[in-house]
């Protein structure tokens, strides 16, 4: 595989676009209106400030500590997460004002967060009761197997859109109930507060004394406590997980864009600025890619990889291993919009694994240079099942496994195989989406750090495997942009989706397929065999810590 086939995508509009869609006066106004975006991800936090045309003006990013107490366990320090948010806001705002802008020009702030990661605290003291259990954590594998035998388990996905797996927040809460005595004590006393990262950040950004306790519909739909049809907590599901809402405070569910529900920043350089948008990170990326109509899809290659497909105003329950979720809800008189989702637990985190554990590279972005040292994967297939395999397989007992190693194998082959793993899983997800929706995509929009390479792997390998063009925007901070769009809609920076057609529309790159369908089928067949061979590696004693 040499030389990617790349076609620059022409601008969506002609040179007189300012007259056709946005007047010179309106565009000048938008260039002077600014919206902030907190993007709190799995491994790093960033804060960006966008102008009204969707261009990032200032930003700051920080990584934070990943804790791995046992194999398969992943935890975060909730206090450190808050600190990184505050630091990123401070540093980006400093950069913004140094460029001659005024804080008073920032109309609002939006929030995008990692989703299922779970935080518990004491309502009276604010004390954190355990480290946040991160979404890819697999300590609940034994609990999942147990709950699948409980009466009513077969009805859950029709209510919530999510299968019983290690993924949702509900399982992480169940584990803490059973294994953290302080959690059970505070729960029985009626003081336990539950939240995902969005809820925890909003509680802190508003000042704990103001006791803001909310979540938006996209994050709420990932807990497994919410009825996807009513977007309210479902008593049947709460009873299944043996959660009494009188003993545990659940956050109020609100739309993703709202002028008042999320409060305002209580301190720091943006003190008093309203928070008016909140989205789970993958929903934010769909919004940032302007996926506002049914049939639009995006794939984000981040720490994990997530493909969302807009299905419109009614949820579609998958029969082929996908999730049903809320895409976004912009409130006012609009209806919520739903999506089918394919979730891949390990994508960019596999590159960090090569960096941190094997020292193959000094920095994650060097993976492309390492991959360029060889022409192909040398026969290597890497099933990166560090957290089992998510969609569409849902194999909890799979482990990370490399096949095809010989004396010929070099670091570059493993690097290529690592990035290809995400492309293979995306192919499997797209096949499942075609079966669920009855439609085949004509183009896939991509973003995220792993999509930056023009060399071979995402997005070129992705185009080769799925047989359709892959569209990559020049400005790939689409998750942050989505949070900014949600916030901007609430304060009338934008009023109609039509106004967003100019946003991030120029200088796209199209990666066209360059191999035959037969070659693609052969590559994918080898991957499928490797997936089957990765099953069953979970030892029974693996879960002795906290069953």
């Amino acid at each position: 595989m040499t030389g990617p086939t790349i076609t620059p995508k022409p601008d969506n509009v002609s040179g007189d676009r300012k007259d056709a869609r946005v007047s010179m006066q309106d565009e000048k106004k938008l260039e002077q209106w600014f919206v902030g975006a907190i993007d709190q991800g799995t491994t790093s936090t960033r804060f960006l400030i966008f102008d009204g045309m969707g261009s990032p003006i200032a930003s700051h990013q920080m990584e934070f500590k990943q804790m791995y107490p046992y194999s398969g366990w992943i935890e975060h320090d909730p206090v450190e997460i808050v600190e990184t948010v505050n630091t990123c806001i401070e540093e980006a705002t400093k950069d913004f004002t140094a460029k001659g802008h005024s804080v008073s020009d920032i109309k609002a702030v939006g929030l995008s967060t990692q989703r299922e990661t779970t935080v518990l605290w004491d309502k009276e003291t604010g004390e954190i009761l355990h480290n946040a259990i991160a979404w890819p954590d697999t300590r609940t594998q034994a609990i999942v197997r147990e709950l699948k035998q409980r009466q009513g388990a077969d009805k859950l996905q029709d209510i919530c859109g999510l299968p019983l797996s290690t993924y949702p927040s509900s399982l992480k809460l169940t584990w803490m109930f059973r294994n953290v005595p302080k959690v059970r004590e505070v729960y029985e006393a009626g003081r336990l507060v539950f939240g995902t990262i969005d809820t925890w950040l909003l509680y802190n950004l508003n000042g704990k004394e103001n006791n803001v306790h909310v979540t938006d519909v996209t994050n709420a739909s990932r807990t497994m406590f919410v009825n996807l049809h009513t977007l309210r907590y479902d008593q049947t599901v709460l009873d299944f997980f043996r959660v009494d809402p009188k003993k545990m405070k659940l956050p109020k569910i609100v739309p993703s864009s709202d002028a008042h529900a999320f409060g305002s920043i209580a301190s720091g350089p943006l003190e008093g600025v309203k928070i008016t948008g909140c989205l789970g990170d993958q929903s934010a990326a769909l919004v940032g890619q302007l996926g506002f109509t049914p049939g639009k899809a995006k794939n984000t290659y981040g720490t994990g990889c997530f493909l969302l497909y807009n299905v419109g105003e009614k949820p579609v329950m998958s029969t082929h291993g996908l999730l049903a979720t809320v895409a976004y809800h912009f409130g006012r008189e609009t209806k919520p919009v739903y999506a089918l989702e394919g979730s891949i637990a390990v994508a960019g985190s596999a590159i960090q694994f090569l960096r941190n554990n094997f020292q193959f590279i000094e920095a994650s972005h060097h993976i492309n240079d390492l991959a360029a040292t060889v022409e192909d994967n040398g026969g290597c297939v890497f099933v990166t099942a560090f957290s089992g395999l998510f969609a569409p397989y849902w194999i909890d007992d799979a482990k990370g496994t490399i096949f095809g190693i010989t004396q010929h194998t070099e670091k570059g082959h493993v690097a290529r195989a690592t990035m290809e793993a995400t492309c293979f899983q995306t192919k499997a997800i797209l096949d499942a989406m075609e079966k669920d929706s009855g439609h085949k995509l004509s183009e896939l929009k991509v973003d995220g750090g792993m999509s930056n390479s023009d060399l071979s792997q995402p997005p070129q390998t992705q185009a080769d495997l799925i047989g359709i063009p892959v569209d990559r925007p020049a400005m790939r901070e689409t998750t942050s942009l989505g949070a900014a769009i949600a916030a901007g809609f609430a304060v009338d920076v934008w009023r109609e989706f039509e106004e967003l057609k100019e946003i991030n529309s120029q200088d796209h790159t199209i990666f066209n397929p360059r191999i035959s369908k037969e070659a693609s089928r052969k590559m994918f067949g080898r991957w499928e065999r490797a997936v089957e061979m990765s099953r069953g590696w979970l030892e029974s004693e693996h879960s002795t810590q906290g069953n």
Side-chain angles (χ1 to χ4, degrees):
M1 297 182 184
T2 59
T5 303
I6 306 172
T7 304
K9 184 174 182 179
D11 294 352
N12 291 342
V13 289
S14 63
D16 61 352
R17 62 185 177 87
K18 296 181 179 70
D19 294 328
R21 290 185 182 164
V22 182
S23 70
M24 288 288 288
Q25 181 179 0
D26 287 341
E27 184 164 325
K28 186 174 182 180
K29 176 181 70 175
L30 286 173
E31 288 174 348
Q32 298 304 313
W33 282 11
F34 301 95
V35 181
I38 300 165
D39 182 358
Q40 204 298 301
T42 309
T43 58
S44 69
T45 300
R46 68 189 76 190
F47 182 70
L48 293 89
I49 301 171
F50 292 90
D51 67 17
M53 295 301 292
S55 299
I57 304 302
S59 67
H60 190 76
Q61 180 174 358
M62 294 178 64
E63 290 192 357
F64 58 91
K65 186 177 181 181
Q66 306 292 303
M67 292 176 274
Y68 307 100
Y70 300 98
S71 176
W73 294 32
I74 307 175
E75 297 180 358
H76 298 156
D77 178 353
V79 174
E80 183 185 8
I81 287 176
V82 173
E83 290 172 349
T84 62
V85 169
N86 288 332
T87 300
C88 287
I89 289 174
E90 183 178 342
E91 293 301 320
T93 305
K94 189 184 301 181
D95 181 27
F96 180 71
T97 55
K99 292 176 178 176
H101 303 292
S102 171
V103 169
S104 62
D105 292 329
I106 300 176
K107 303 300 179 184
V109 168
L111 173 63
S112 162
T113 61
Q114 52 175 313
R115 296 177 295 177
E116 298 79 4
T117 299
T118 305
V119 188
L120 302 178
W121 66 96
D122 187 317
K123 179 170 62 176
E124 292 185 1
T125 67
E127 175 192 1
I128 293 291
L129 302 176
H130 192 273
N131 280 333
I133 299 181
W135 62 268
D137 185 285
T138 60
R139 74 185 69 188
T140 59
Q141 286 168 327
I143 296 175
V144 170
R145 292 195 294 273
E146 172 199 328
L147 293 185
K148 283 181 177 179
Q149 306 308 312
R150 183 178 288 181
Q151 185 175 358
D154 58 335
K155 303 291 195 301
L156 292 180
Q157 188 161 359
D158 288 338
I159 299 171
C160 310
L162 306 176
L164 268 173
S165 73
T166 60
Y167 195 17
S169 309
S170 54
L171 278 298
K172 305 176 198 314
L173 174 65
T174 301
W175 185 91
M176 286 191 272
F177 273 160
R178 297 184 181 187
N179 293 280
V180 185
K182 185 72 171 177
V183 168
R184 176 58 65 175
E185 175 190 329
V186 173
Y187 173 76
E188 294 298 343
R191 304 196 312 268
L192 186 64
V193 182
F194 166 90
T196 43
I197 293 296
D198 62 317
T199 302
W200 170 244
L201 286 178
L202 290 165
Y203 170 68
N204 283 274
L205 288 168
N206 277 275
K208 293 180 180 180
E209 66 280 1
N210 291 314
N211 202 27
V212 173
H213 191 229
V214 298
T215 186
D216 96 294
V217 288
T218 66
N219 283 290
S221 71
R222 312 303 293 193
T223 63
M224 212 173 179
F225 293 138
V226 172
N227 186 310
L228 204 61
H229 306 274
T230 65
L231 299 184
R232 294 290 177 262
Y233 294 111
D234 190 281
Q235 192 60 51
T236 300
V237 179
L238 293 173
D239 290 344
F240 178 88
F241 287 106
R242 297 174 183 170
V243 171
D244 183 349
K246 294 179 181 177
K247 293 182 177 181
M248 185 180 79
K249 186 178 181 183
L250 292 161
K252 179 182 178 182
I253 302 171
V254 300
S256 312
S257 179
D258 192 283
H260 307 289
F262 304 113
S264 59
I265 297 176
S267 61
L270 299 186
E271 181 178 349
V273 176
K274 294 172 70 174
I275 305 167
T276 59
C278 180
L279 290 158
D281 51 8
Q282 302 313 316
S283 289
L286 182 67
V287 170
Q289 288 274 26
L290 309 185
F292 297 123
T293 55
K296 294 289 187 180
K298 70 86 197 174
N299 203 27
T300 297
Y301 302 82
T303 301
C305 183
F306 302 87
L307 199 159
L308 263 65
Y309 178 93
N310 184 327
V311 297
E313 296 176 352
K314 293 182 179 179
V316 173
M317 297 301 175
S318 174
T319 58
H320 295 91
L322 304 180
L323 309 179
T325 194
V326 182
Y328 57 86
H329 183 202
F330 277 13
R332 298 185 181 178
E333 303 302 318
T334 67
K335 294 182 179 180
V337 173
Y338 295 88
L340 279 170
E341 176 174 333
S343 308
I344 300 169
V346 175
S349 55
I351 295 172
Q352 292 176 324
F353 168 79
L354 295 185
R355 180 194 68 186
N356 297 339
N357 296 45
F358 287 175
Q359 286 79 53
F360 275 17
I361 48 178
E362 292 184 0
S364 294
H365 64 271
H366 292 163
I367 193 72
N368 298 317
D369 295 333
L370 179 58
T373 62
V374 294
E375 291 186 0
D376 54 34
N377 62 22
C380 278
V381 178
F382 190 177
V383 181
T384 51
F386 301 158
S387 299
L389 283 174
F390 284 12
Y393 305 106
W394 299 108
I395 306 173
D396 288 338
D397 61 0
K399 285 287 188 180
T401 320
I402 304 179
F403 298 93
I405 293 178
T406 69
Q407 288 179 313
H408 168 71
T409 304
E410 301 176 9
K411 290 180 181 180
H413 296 129
V414 177
R416 282 184 177 261
T418 302
M419 291 193 283
E420 286 174 354
T422 304
C423 299
F424 285 125
Q425 291 176 80
T426 296
K427 158 71 172 167
I429 287 167
L430 280 174
D431 288 348
M433 283 187 174
E434 184 177 348
K435 293 172 184 175
D436 277 329
S437 68
H439 299 285
K440 182 178 177 65
L441 282 184
S442 59
E443 182 180 75
L444 179 64
K445 293 186 175 183
V446 301
D447 52 57
M450 281 183 69
S451 69
N452 290 336
S453 172
D454 288 346
L455 169 68
S456 60
Q457 265 99 205
Q460 181 60 60
T461 298
Q462 193 67 82
D464 293 342
L465 281 172
I466 62 180
I468 59 175
V470 168
D471 178 353
R472 186 185 67 185
M475 198 287 291
R476 290 184 282 282
E477 298 289 357
T478 53
T479 301
S480 303
L481 179 59
I485 287 172
F489 260 87
V491 294
D492 291 334
V493 172
W494 306 283
R495 294 183 177 86
E496 303 290 340
F497 290 141
E498 182 74 16
E499 297 176 42
L500 294 170
K501 287 187 176 180
E502 302 297 324
I503 299 292
N504 201 23
S505 63
Q506 299 183 46
D507 300 323
H508 284 222
T509 301
I510 302 296
F511 294 80
N512 294 300
R514 62 182 181 182
I515 65 174
S516 68
K517 290 183 179 180
E518 180 58 34
S520 174
R521 279 195 294 269
K522 184 176 180 181
M523 291 169 63
F524 188 64
R526 183 183 298 170
W527 163 262
E528 294 275 82
R529 291 197 302 275
V531 166
E532 289 304 309
M533 295 171 70
S534 73
R535 291 178 182 269
W537 285 93
L538 178 66
E539 298 289 346
S540 59
E541 61 266 27
H542 171 79
S543 298
T544 55
Q545 288 287 337
N547 270 350

